[in-house]
Amino acid sequence: MMKLRLLRVRNALVRECMAEFLGTFVLLLFGCSAAAQVKTSRETKGQFLSVNMAFSVGVMSAMYLTKGITGAHLNPAVTLSFCVLGRVPWRKLMPYSLSQVLGAYVASGLVYLVYYDAIMEFSEGVLTVYGPNETASIFATYPTEHLTLGRSFLDQVVGTGMLLLCILCLDEKRNSPAPSELTPPIVATIVLGISMSMSGNCGAAINPARDLGPRLFSLTAGWGTEVFTCYNYWFWVPVVAPPIGGVLGCLMYLVFIHWQLPGPDPPEDTSTLSTISDKIKQPSSTWENEVELKCAHL
Amino acid sequence: MMKLRLLRVRNALVRECMAEFLGTFVLLLFGCSAAAQVKTSRETKGQFLSVNMAFSVGVMSAMYLTKGITGAHLNPAVTLSFCVLGRVPWRKLMPYSLSQVLGAYVASGLVYLVYYDAIMEFSEGVLTVYGPNETASIFATYPTEHLTLGRSFLDQVVGTGMLLLCILCLDEKRNSPAPSELTPPIVATIVLGISMSMSGNCGAAINPARDLGPRLFSLTAGWGTEVFTCYNYWFWVPVVAPPIGGVLGCLMYLVFIHWQLPGPDPPEDTSTLSTISDKIKQPSSTWENEVELKCAHL
Amino acid sequence: MMKLRLLRVRNALVRECMAEFLGTFVLLLFGCSAAAQVKTSRETKGQFLSVNMAFSVGVMSAMYLTKGITGAHLNPAVTLSFCVLGRVPWRKLMPYSLSQVLGAYVASGLVYLVYYDAIMEFSEGVLTVYGPNETASIFATYPTEHLTLGRSFLDQVVGTGMLLLCILCLDEKRNSPAPSELTPPIVATIVLGISMSMSGNCGAAINPARDLGPRLFSLTAGWGTEVFTCYNYWFWVPVVAPPIGGVLGCLMYLVFIHWQLPGPDPPEDTSTLSTISDKIKQPSSTWENEVELKCAHL
Amino acid sequence: MMKLRLLRVRNALVRECMAEFLGTFVLLLFGCSAAAQVKTSRETKGQFLSVNMAFSVGVMSAMYLTKGITGAHLNPAVTLSFCVLGRVPWRKLMPYSLSQVLGAYVASGLVYLVYYDAIMEFSEGVLTVYGPNETASIFATYPTEHLTLGRSFLDQVVGTGMLLLCILCLDEKRNSPAPSELTPPIVATIVLGISMSMSGNCGAAINPARDLGPRLFSLTAGWGTEVFTCYNYWFWVPVVAPPIGGVLGCLMYLVFIHWQLPGPDPPEDTSTLSTISDKIKQPSSTWENEVELKCAHL
């Protein structure tokens, strides 16, 4: 073991970025593979619901893999929201986000390799964004035809807001918390609910990494610049709207629930979601204290 | 934090009504969004089952958000049943119920905003209650064509009775209780079961707020008075029948299970479902005692 | 409360029979309602899978209602198996079984009342066992056309054997038990698995009460004697085969798992599944001891 | 009991092989029965998703039956991976694997017996591997038509790698473990995710026993040598690729997660997954120590 310990990365941030990379990789490998399976089998080996369910299983697995290391954000909108709430230091926002995008990119590449034959047969070798044989939607999300820009922006804000609103309560001991060891399947169920109800307009990305990583991959893999230019450069919506939605969801949670709970908050509140590295480096700062500081600046 | 604490609402009842508002909002946002997604995509992005499942996820999320504050009724029929059982004081019945209806109304409005383009395209701009392009059923429930009034009333009584019968046992320590931290997914599963089996006749509202709130919204949003007058003013059935069914379900539970359990009941029985504010204000009254008092009046 | 305690049934066996009646009633109300919903909506409001899922939710709910009182058999084949294993005294076999059949009968009646309009419209008023408009399969199970008698017998033996084999291990502390408070959803999942995989031949009754009760109801409600005479008096198969299968499943469990676990068994083994009345009346006899006695007679 | 104890097999390895046999038998009985039900009913009694779900329920049930005895491998690729990790001694690899293949073979035989009439009717008595009436896919997996050999090999490597990557973290106390009593449903959910997303190419065997056992059965039962020779002797892919994928998945887990966790590892780490016989025979060796030894040889 002495020898293997040499493989341990000394920099805590790098270790955490590796975890976020792996987690987002797992999430997208499940999700995009299911999209490829359903699309290329022309819905004979699954349907819309099974893609939603596969993303949900991906969330669960990725959380069990990484929750103890980073808190399992898997989503820049979640990382940003946790920065705003003071749960995560701001300096981690960019490294985490880039790791998440990279994980999604690499997962898309692997899905492409695994389903290459099926994609080629389905698309007859022409990789397009439009039409009955389009395959770009295996990777990134695209809006329906008559959706206006503002509507799709609102859609992403509402979906991500619901995500944050619903997951923030799960570890609040003063309310009715979920069992800490079972938050992965419960968060996965919430994500399943969102993708069954709010993916009608534009696919419920609610996650810049989940959308941008695969879109970048499909750009490089042969779908061309259309993956970015189509629908009047729509690609920026699932990148920009989710972080805004996430913060609004947090605010809604604070106003309706968190600030209404009886106080003062016990100091052990912070321990459930805090990560190993946080415990080591920030033993004296509790979440509540940081919320206090950060939110006072809002 | 001192400053943020100023945002805390001083009146406990208002805080609880905020929670019931938010919980019912979340429940309906999941459920009606799914109905809109399935309807406007002509079942290509989900089917009947996925609407049932989305309502179920909504129940779970709403319960985790509010169970520690109010007990997560989310339904006037549940609030009334708990009043009858003595678990909740009668003075809370109307405030809770109005908050629930308001939450359902606001959620419907947000669903309408998010799915406005899709609804307009599907309905070709004509918001109707009847016909193949009807969209009113995204919001409120409607009966099938040949259903008699009495039958639909019975349907709602039975559905709500099953709900109360099945959830009342979940926190009974003398029987085989569910884990307190996992009642939200278990209640959600029961609601899923009811909506898979008892929604054939008239949509399994089993909740006056879930039906009246969205119906009021669709009245104000352009579907016209037909949402109330159609099917011979059928709208009152899911408002009036569920509370009756809820109380009958409680009675069935008491007769077949509760009164048959060994006694005397330990005094800590009351703690599982009691809410924070109840604990503060009514430390000396246990549920059993209240059941005793109230039920003796039946 | 003193007054209400008068409503408590003094005879423990009657109390237990009330619980088995109610549990089987709940199981069948979920299951047959779902069958009615799917059938009469011509699969527009659910499909084969949703009937399976509704039966599964019924198992979960019925178990939470009655597990602390009787152990939640809900099935004469389970009661018989537990008698053979020594977990339940033989004198309870007939009272439990009759209560279960009666619960299934009454639930069928309520399903008929709730779905009367829909059944009449679907069947055009002719209640038949055969043909595209048949509605008898809402209640009892029927074999597929080319199934031989022996095959359907084997089918019911295997299905019920799998049920017992898979549930007997769930409370064995020397192996890897399920959490005692979560056995209801886990058993429900096993039943879902069986009904998704072993209902192709003849509907996976695997429960004499689940089949005979509804069949008796459909006899009395207007489907005529054909419900018993059809397919060459096939009705006896789901009555006779499941108890045999249940006992064989127990034997398989004992040979492959139970007798191979390390001993001697700790005396607290008995407490998980034992019921309240058993605890009162038989404090000195453990399951292991009874297994010893009974199995020695095999 | 004294007498029955005589039925206890004295050799611990034989007892473990009996458990692996039974577990794989249960897994395949659920899975292949569901495949037979869906296939022979022409998707009227289930669909692709319900086969995936039935395999998942099979995983859960088989794990509860055998986790305390062998750790519930049910898959030679898992056994090999655990040998490489040092969790299981190498001498158990072949006995376990053969037991698993045998369990799968016997389960296939029972499925054939139960669904014989249905298979004969569906296939019109001609048991074939190709064409619209083929029934070989009820038992073993087969690739889609245009899939290249290398692609299918990659597919099996990736699928099995994901399985190991996602399950290895579930009992790691230094990360965010799943509740030990609930790993069976969680692993079942992971397997469901894999079969919904990575079965598009060649059926997601990810398990040599799950594929070879049923293939051997279909050879002996009348489908002929084509089950082995078809698709250019493709049968070896799901036998050879999964073990490679499993080991690569372990390596990925070690590099990205395990070696990055804080150390030194507490000595009680080993207790969660270790089996009864291991506890008796190897009380002084912890998993960590063995990982150390074995992995140092990689």
Side-chain angles (χ1 to χ4, degrees):
Chain A
M1 192 150 110
M2 291 304 117
K3 271 183 199 162
L4 288 177
R5 279 290 166 210
L6 295 178
L7 288 169
R8 190 169 188 226
V9 175
R10 283 170 194 280
N11 185 307
L13 184 59
V14 175
R15 288 202 305 266
E16 292 168 32
C17 286
M18 285 169 67
E20 285 294 324
F21 168 86
L22 184 73
T24 320
F25 169 85
V26 166
L27 169 61
L28 270 284
L29 192 55
F30 274 109
C32 290
S33 290
Q37 173 167 326
V38 170
K39 169 70 83 176
T40 62
S41 74
R42 297 177 193 278
E43 304 213 5
T44 60
K45 295 184 180 173
Q47 65 269 73
F48 196 83
L49 180 61
S50 62
V51 181
N52 299 339
M53 288 168 73
F55 265 111
S56 174
V57 175
V59 168
M60 185 191 79
S61 296
M63 285 188 73
Y64 274 123
L65 275 166
T66 67
K67 194 161 77 90
I69 300 170
T70 64
H73 303 175
L74 316 168
N75 182 345
V78 171
T79 306
L80 176 75
S81 300
F82 282 11
C83 288
V84 168
L85 288 174
R87 287 194 188 195
V88 170
W90 282 95
R91 63 178 173 81
K92 291 185 180 177
L93 176 58
M94 285 314 293
Y96 274 34
S97 299
L98 290 174
S99 308
Q100 291 154 0
V101 172
L102 191 62
Y105 182 94
V106 175
S108 303
L110 188 50
V111 171
Y112 180 68
L113 280 179
V114 168
Y115 278 104
Y116 180 84
D117 296 345
I119 289 171
M120 284 303 148
E121 201 203 342
F122 178 88
S123 65
E124 292 166 2
V126 186
L127 304 178
T128 55
V129 174
Y130 297 107
N133 288 343
E134 69 83 19
T135 42
S137 67
I138 291 172
F139 301 98
T141 64
Y142 295 91
T144 55
E145 217 175 314
H146 298 289
L147 191 69
T148 61
L149 184 70
R151 191 83 48 205
S152 73
F153 196 92
L154 175 68
D155 175 283
Q156 288 297 295
V157 166
V158 171
T160 320
M162 285 297 279
L163 176 67
L164 268 293
L165 174 63
C166 293
I167 66 175
L168 281 175
C169 62
L170 295 178
D171 68 333
E172 176 55 69
K173 290 214 170 52
R174 294 172 300 158
N175 196 338
S176 50
S180 150
E181 290 187 317
L182 289 176
T183 45
I186 289 167
V187 172
T189 305
I190 292 167
V191 170
L192 175 63
I194 292 174
S195 61
M196 287 188 306
S197 64
M198 291 168 218
S199 65
N201 282 329
C202 49
I206 63 166
N207 181 342
R210 177 260 173 275
D211 203 66
L212 189 59
R215 200 180 299 277
L216 283 167
F217 173 78
S218 52
L219 172 73
T220 52
W223 275 265
T225 54
E226 226 172 33
V227 299
F228 279 92
T229 61
C230 71
Y231 300 103
N232 197 24
Y233 293 90
W234 181 81
F235 79 93
W236 65 270
V237 172
V239 175
V240 175
I244 297 173
V247 173
L248 289 177
C250 292
L251 194 64
M252 204 165 167
Y253 173 71
L254 292 173
V255 169
F256 277 90
I257 303 291
H258 193 77
W259 291 335
Q260 310 307 332
L261 295 171
D265 312 314
E268 62 270 25
D269 249 10
T270 193
S271 63
T272 316
L273 267 196
S274 72
T275 64
I276 289 165
S277 56
D278 286 350
K279 271 185 210 155
I280 293 166
K281 281 178 297 179
Q282 317 171 341
S284 67
S285 112
T286 67
W287 179 46
E288 256 319 296
N289 291 342
E290 293 196 40
V291 171
E292 204 182 323
L293 293 167
K294 306 284 171 175
C295 293
H297 297 162
L298 283 180
Chain B
M1 193 149 109
M2 291 303 118
K3 271 184 199 161
L4 288 177
R5 279 291 165 209
L6 295 178
L7 288 170
R8 190 171 188 224
V9 174
R10 285 170 194 280
N11 184 306
L13 184 58
V14 174
R15 289 202 304 267
E16 291 169 31
C17 287
M18 285 169 66
E20 285 294 323
F21 168 86
L22 184 73
T24 320
F25 170 85
V26 165
L27 169 61
L28 269 284
L29 193 54
F30 273 109
C32 291
S33 291
Q37 173 166 327
V38 170
K39 170 69 83 175
T40 62
S41 74
R42 296 176 194 278
E43 304 213 3
T44 59
K45 295 184 180 173
Q47 65 270 71
F48 195 84
L49 180 62
S50 62
V51 181
N52 299 341
M53 288 168 73
F55 265 110
S56 175
V57 175
V59 168
M60 185 192 79
S61 296
M63 284 188 75
Y64 274 123
L65 276 166
T66 67
K67 193 162 77 91
I69 300 171
T70 64
H73 303 175
L74 316 168
N75 182 345
V78 172
T79 305
L80 176 75
S81 300
F82 283 10
C83 288
V84 169
L85 288 174
R87 287 195 188 194
V88 169
W90 282 95
R91 63 178 173 80
K92 291 185 179 176
L93 175 59
M94 284 314 292
Y96 274 33
S97 300
L98 290 174
S99 307
Q100 290 154 0
V101 173
L102 191 61
Y105 183 94
V106 174
S108 303
L110 188 50
V111 171
Y112 181 67
L113 280 180
V114 168
Y115 278 103
Y116 180 83
D117 296 345
I119 289 171
M120 285 303 148
E121 200 202 341
F122 178 87
S123 65
E124 292 165 2
V126 186
L127 304 178
T128 56
V129 174
Y130 296 107
N133 288 344
E134 68 83 20
T135 42
S137 67
I138 291 172
F139 301 99
T141 62
Y142 295 92
T144 55
E145 217 176 314
H146 298 289
L147 192 69
T148 61
L149 184 69
R151 192 82 49 206
S152 73
F153 196 92
L154 175 67
D155 174 284
Q156 288 298 294
V157 166
V158 171
T160 320
M162 284 297 279
L163 176 67
L164 268 293
L165 174 63
C166 292
I167 66 175
L168 281 175
C169 62
L170 296 178
D171 69 331
E172 176 54 69
K173 290 214 170 52
R174 295 171 299 158
N175 196 337
S176 50
S180 150
E181 290 186 316
L182 288 177
T183 46
I186 289 168
V187 172
T189 305
I190 292 167
V191 170
L192 175 64
I194 293 173
S195 61
M196 287 188 306
S197 64
M198 292 168 218
S199 66
N201 282 328
C202 50
I206 62 167
N207 180 341
R210 177 261 172 274
D211 203 65
L212 190 58
R215 199 180 299 276
L216 283 167
F217 173 77
S218 53
L219 173 72
T220 54
W223 275 266
T225 53
E226 228 173 31
V227 298
F228 279 92
T229 61
C230 70
Y231 300 102
N232 197 24
Y233 293 89
W234 182 80
F235 79 93
W236 66 270
V237 173
V239 175
V240 174
I244 296 172
V247 173
L248 289 177
C250 293
L251 194 64
M252 203 164 167
Y253 173 71
L254 293 173
V255 170
F256 277 90
I257 303 290
H258 193 78
W259 291 335
Q260 310 308 331
L261 295 171
D265 312 314
E268 62 271 25
D269 249 10
T270 192
S271 63
T272 316
L273 267 197
S274 71
T275 64
I276 289 164
S277 56
D278 286 351
K279 272 184 210 154
I280 293 165
K281 280 179 296 178
Q282 319 170 340
S284 65
S285 111
T286 67
W287 178 47
E288 257 318 299
N289 291 341
E290 293 195 41
V291 171
E292 201 183 324
L293 294 167
K294 307 283 171 176
C295 292
H297 297 162
L298 282 181
Chain C
M1 195 150 107
M2 290 305 118
K3 271 184 199 162
L4 289 177
R5 279 292 165 208
L6 295 178
L7 288 170
R8 192 170 187 226
V9 175
R10 283 170 194 279
N11 184 305
L13 184 59
V14 174
R15 288 202 305 267
E16 292 169 31
C17 287
M18 285 169 67
E20 285 294 322
F21 168 86
L22 185 72
T24 320
F25 170 85
V26 165
L27 169 60
L28 270 284
L29 193 55
F30 273 109
C32 291
S33 290
Q37 174 167 326
V38 170
K39 170 69 82 176
T40 62
S41 73
R42 297 176 193 278
E43 304 213 4
T44 60
K45 295 184 180 173
Q47 65 269 71
F48 195 84
L49 180 62
S50 62
V51 181
N52 299 340
M53 289 168 72
F55 265 110
S56 174
V57 175
V59 168
M60 185 192 79
S61 296
M63 285 187 73
Y64 274 123
L65 276 167
T66 66
K67 194 162 76 90
I69 300 171
T70 64
H73 304 175
L74 316 167
N75 183 344
V78 172
T79 305
L80 176 75
S81 300
F82 283 11
C83 288
V84 169
L85 288 174
R87 286 195 188 195
V88 170
W90 282 96
R91 64 178 172 81
K92 291 185 180 177
L93 176 59
M94 284 315 293
Y96 274 34
S97 299
L98 290 174
S99 307
Q100 291 154 0
V101 173
L102 190 62
Y105 183 93
V106 175
S108 303
L110 188 50
V111 171
Y112 180 67
L113 280 179
V114 168
Y115 278 103
Y116 180 83
D117 296 345
I119 289 171
M120 285 303 149
E121 201 203 341
F122 178 88
S123 65
E124 292 165 1
V126 186
L127 304 179
T128 55
V129 173
Y130 295 107
N133 288 343
E134 69 83 20
T135 43
S137 67
I138 291 172
F139 301 98
T141 63
Y142 295 92
T144 56
E145 217 174 315
H146 298 289
L147 192 69
T148 61
L149 184 70
R151 192 83 47 206
S152 72
F153 196 93
L154 175 68
D155 174 284
Q156 289 297 293
V157 166
V158 171
T160 319
M162 284 297 279
L163 176 66
L164 268 292
L165 174 63
C166 293
I167 67 175
L168 280 175
C169 62
L170 296 178
D171 69 332
E172 176 54 70
K173 290 214 168 55
R174 295 171 298 157
N175 196 336
S176 50
S180 150
E181 289 187 317
L182 288 177
T183 45
I186 289 167
V187 172
T189 305
I190 291 167
V191 170
L192 175 64
I194 292 173
S195 62
M196 288 189 306
S197 64
M198 292 166 219
S199 66
N201 282 329
C202 48
I206 62 168
N207 180 341
R210 176 261 173 276
D211 203 65
L212 189 58
R215 199 180 299 276
L216 283 167
F217 172 78
S218 52
L219 172 73
T220 54
W223 275 266
T225 53
E226 227 172 32
V227 299
F228 278 92
T229 60
C230 71
Y231 299 103
N232 198 22
Y233 293 88
W234 181 81
F235 79 93
W236 66 271
V237 173
V239 175
V240 174
I244 296 171
V247 173
L248 289 177
C250 293
L251 194 64
M252 203 165 168
Y253 172 72
L254 293 173
V255 169
F256 277 90
I257 303 291
H258 193 79
W259 291 335
Q260 309 308 332
L261 295 171
D265 312 314
E268 62 270 26
D269 249 10
T270 193
S271 63
T272 316
L273 267 197
S274 71
T275 64
I276 289 165
S277 56
D278 286 350
K279 272 182 211 156
I280 294 166
K281 282 177 296 179
Q282 319 170 338
S284 66
S285 111
T286 67
W287 179 47
E288 258 318 299
N289 290 341
E290 294 195 40
V291 171
E292 203 182 321
L293 295 166
K294 306 283 171 175
C295 292
H297 297 162
L298 281 180
Chain D
M1 194 150 107
M2 291 304 116
K3 272 185 198 161
L4 288 177
R5 279 291 165 209
L6 295 178
L7 287 170
R8 191 171 188 226
V9 176
R10 284 170 193 280
N11 185 306
L13 184 58
V14 174
R15 288 202 305 267
E16 292 169 32
C17 287
M18 284 168 67
E20 284 294 323
F21 168 86
L22 184 72
T24 320
F25 170 84
V26 166
L27 169 60
L28 269 285
L29 192 56
F30 273 109
C32 291
S33 290
Q37 174 166 326
V38 170
K39 170 69 82 177
T40 62
S41 73
R42 298 177 193 277
E43 304 213 4
T44 60
K45 295 184 180 173
Q47 66 268 73
F48 195 83
L49 180 61
S50 62
V51 181
N52 299 339
M53 289 168 72
F55 266 111
S56 175
V57 175
V59 168
M60 185 191 78
S61 296
M63 285 188 73
Y64 274 123
L65 276 166
T66 66
K67 194 161 78 88
I69 300 170
T70 64
H73 303 175
L74 316 168
N75 183 345
V78 172
T79 305
L80 176 75
S81 300
F82 282 11
C83 288
V84 169
L85 288 174
R87 287 194 188 194
V88 170
W90 283 95
R91 64 178 172 80
K92 292 186 180 176
L93 176 59
M94 284 315 292
Y96 274 33
S97 299
L98 291 174
S99 307
Q100 291 154 0
V101 173
L102 190 62
Y105 182 94
V106 174
S108 302
L110 188 50
V111 171
Y112 180 68
L113 280 179
V114 168
Y115 278 103
Y116 180 83
D117 296 344
I119 289 171
M120 284 303 148
E121 201 203 340
F122 178 87
S123 65
E124 293 165 0
V126 187
L127 304 178
T128 55
V129 174
Y130 296 106
N133 288 343
E134 68 83 20
T135 43
S137 67
I138 291 173
F139 301 99
T141 64
Y142 295 92
T144 56
E145 217 175 315
H146 298 290
L147 192 69
T148 62
L149 184 70
R151 191 83 47 207
S152 74
F153 197 91
L154 175 68
D155 175 284
Q156 288 298 293
V157 166
V158 170
T160 319
M162 284 297 279
L163 176 66
L164 269 292
L165 174 64
C166 293
I167 66 175
L168 281 175
C169 62
L170 295 178
D171 69 332
E172 176 54 70
K173 290 214 169 52
R174 295 172 299 158
N175 197 336
S176 50
S180 150
E181 290 188 316
L182 289 177
T183 46
I186 289 168
V187 172
T189 305
I190 292 167
V191 170
L192 175 63
I194 292 172
S195 61
M196 289 189 306
S197 64
M198 290 167 219
S199 66
N201 281 329
C202 49
I206 62 168
N207 181 342
R210 177 260 173 275
D211 203 65
L212 190 59
R215 200 181 299 276
L216 283 167
F217 172 77
S218 52
L219 172 73
T220 53
W223 275 265
T225 54
E226 226 172 34
V227 299
F228 279 91
T229 60
C230 71
Y231 300 103
N232 197 22
Y233 294 88
W234 181 81
F235 79 93
W236 66 269
V237 173
V239 175
V240 175
I244 297 172
V247 173
L248 288 177
C250 292
L251 193 64
M252 204 165 167
Y253 172 72
L254 293 173
V255 169
F256 277 90
I257 303 291
H258 193 79
W259 291 335
Q260 310 308 332
L261 294 170
D265 311 314
E268 62 271 24
D269 249 10
T270 192
S271 63
T272 317
L273 267 198
S274 71
T275 64
I276 290 165
S277 55
D278 286 351
K279 271 183 211 156
I280 294 167
K281 281 178 296 181
Q282 319 170 340
S284 67
S285 110
T286 67
W287 179 46
E288 256 319 298
N289 291 341
E290 294 195 39
V291 171
E292 203 182 324
L293 294 166
K294 307 283 173 175
C295 293
H297 297 161
L298 283 180

